[in-house]
Amino acid sequence: MRAFTYERANSPAAAAAAAAGNPEAKFIAGGTNLLDLMKLQIETPSHLIDVNGLKLDTIETTDDGGLRIGALVRNTALAADARVRRDYGVLSRALLAGASAQLRNRATTAGNLLQRTRCPYFYDTAQPCNKREPGSGCSALGGFSRQLGVIGVSEACIATHPSDMAVAMRALDGTVETVKADATTRTIPLAELHRAPGTTPHLETTLAQGELITAVRLPRPIGGRQIYRKVRDRASYAFALVSVAAVIQRDGSGRIALGGIAPRPWRSEAAEAELRRGAKAAAAALLEGARPTRENAFKLPLVERTLSAVLSEARA
């Protein structure tokens, strides 16, 4: 691990200002992803800004009946919150499907959204990776790609976003609140937070340099049967091959978002319009334009089968 300097921020705006003035600075909270990447020298920040003291660790009911989840709320606390379990069950289930209990105790809401891909070539510094070294190439395209993306990918990158929580929040129409260095704030729909890889896969979000996530806001509950189904290579502590977050209403309509198949949580309104016709029609709309490799083409039928199981559970 390379040497770095360290400071504790005393306000969200001060943290954003400190990071905006130093392009090699990083925020640190739980550190469950960042510290691993620093040990491998994939991330090499010269300065760390500790945001743990910013009192962004509460869950509040909003005026419109939704929830405002502080950026520093730990995944364990969020999954266990009575309001989340009652009104946003798909989110609680997604959180409990991710990582180990020890990691959930440290991992934060904002950190979960911003965690980086688990593509094996991103983690192998001996291999070219456009996400790690822009312009070096994508080893996954001709390599081991079983875990990687089939939709929303590009010739420069086929990595997937690893978060379970983000998939559920996408199905719930979550929005992200941020603060910038000049203390101005903005709200970003979760659908617009993560970038498509295009030719610049190293640019993973639409956040500006130094912009700090302060909270995630969920709209008022919409009811329905809420299900999170995760298909993985082993029963625990594994990233999704395919995951489905679903909120299905009594009339068969609903919302679905998928993980394990794209560089960001994948949701298609066109697919949701097909839900009443069944999993086959919805999966066809979800995967329109898919570009699988020989090793991960199995994900296409797996999406349909997983979605079929979710819809059957919802009907039951």
Side-chain angles (χ1 to χ4, degrees):
M1 187 181 292
R2 296 184 183 180
F4 57 88
T5 53
Y6 170 89
E7 71 171 293
R8 290 178 179 169
N10 55 26
S11 73
N22 181 355
E24 295 185 351
K26 292 283 184 181
F27 300 122
I28 186 166
T32 57
N33 188 206
L34 177 61
L35 290 177
D36 283 344
L37 295 174
M38 288 175 67
K39 291 173 184 177
L40 295 170
Q41 296 194 17
I42 295 169
E43 293 276 14
T44 56
S46 64
H47 186 61
L48 290 185
I49 302 163
D50 190 333
V51 296
N52 281 295
L54 298 185
K55 302 186 187 305
L56 301 174
D57 58 352
T58 58
I59 304 173
E60 303 166 320
T61 303
T62 60
D63 292 341
D64 64 355
L67 283 185
R68 185 178 185 272
I69 303 161
L72 296 176
V73 173
R74 268 34 186 191
N75 287 177
T76 295
L78 183 57
D81 186 89
R83 293 161 293 184
V84 174
R85 295 177 64 187
R86 181 188 66 230
D87 298 327
Y88 306 96
V90 65
L91 175 57
S92 182
R93 294 180 181 100
L95 285 161
L96 293 173
S100 65
Q102 295 91 334
L103 284 172
R104 292 197 299 270
N105 288 343
R106 289 297 304 161
T108 62
T109 298
N112 193 308
L113 291 175
L114 299 178
Q115 64 182 298
R116 307 201 68 187
T117 184
R118 266 51 178 197
C119 174
Y121 298 102
F122 175 72
Y123 273 78
D124 185 351
T125 56
Q127 300 290 332
C129 171
N130 287 320
K131 191 177 283 290
R132 179 170 27 82
E133 272 187 70
S136 63
C138 177
S139 299
L141 285 170
F144 181 71
S145 56
R146 172 180 168 78
Q147 290 277 353
L148 302 180
V150 297
I151 189 78
V153 297
S154 72
E155 289 297 324
C157 183
I158 60 172
T160 53
H161 193 273
S163 174
D164 292 286
M165 184 196 79
V167 177
M169 287 185 168
R170 180 71 181 92
L172 293 168
D173 274 338
T175 56
V176 173
E177 297 179 359
T178 71
V179 63
K180 295 183 179 180
D182 61 1
T184 59
T185 61
R186 67 168 173 155
T187 300
I188 308 169
L190 193 58
E192 299 173 12
L193 177 65
H194 300 104
R195 294 176 182 264
T199 59
T200 56
H202 61 292
L203 301 176
E204 297 178 338
T205 73
T206 55
L207 297 175
Q209 173 64 35
E211 191 169 6
L212 176 69
I213 293 177
T214 55
V216 175
R217 188 179 289 262
L218 299 179
R220 63 184 302 170
I222 59 171
R225 185 74 184 274
Q226 300 192 16
I227 298 167
Y228 188 76
R229 182 175 288 260
K230 182 177 181 179
V231 181
R232 44 191 163 178
D233 281 328
R234 58 180 186 270
S236 65
Y237 197 25
F239 296 100
L241 292 170
V242 169
S243 64
V244 176
V247 182
I248 307 298
Q249 303 299 334
R250 190 178 296 274
D251 63 0
S253 65
R255 301 176 185 172
I256 50 173
L258 274 73
I261 64 169
R264 53 187 177 183
W266 194 254
R267 184 176 169 193
S268 163
E269 284 72 13
E272 291 171 354
E274 299 289 340
L275 281 174
R276 289 190 182 93
R277 294 180 56 204
K280 188 177 185 66
L286 269 169
L287 296 171
E288 185 176 357
R291 299 168 57 185
T293 67
R294 180 178 59 83
E295 290 194 344
N296 66 18
F298 73 92
K299 288 192 176 188
L300 304 187
L302 184 58
V303 165
E304 182 183 332
R305 290 198 296 269
T306 307
L307 186 55
S308 177
V310 166
L311 295 180
S312 295
E313 183 180 347
R315 286 194 294 269

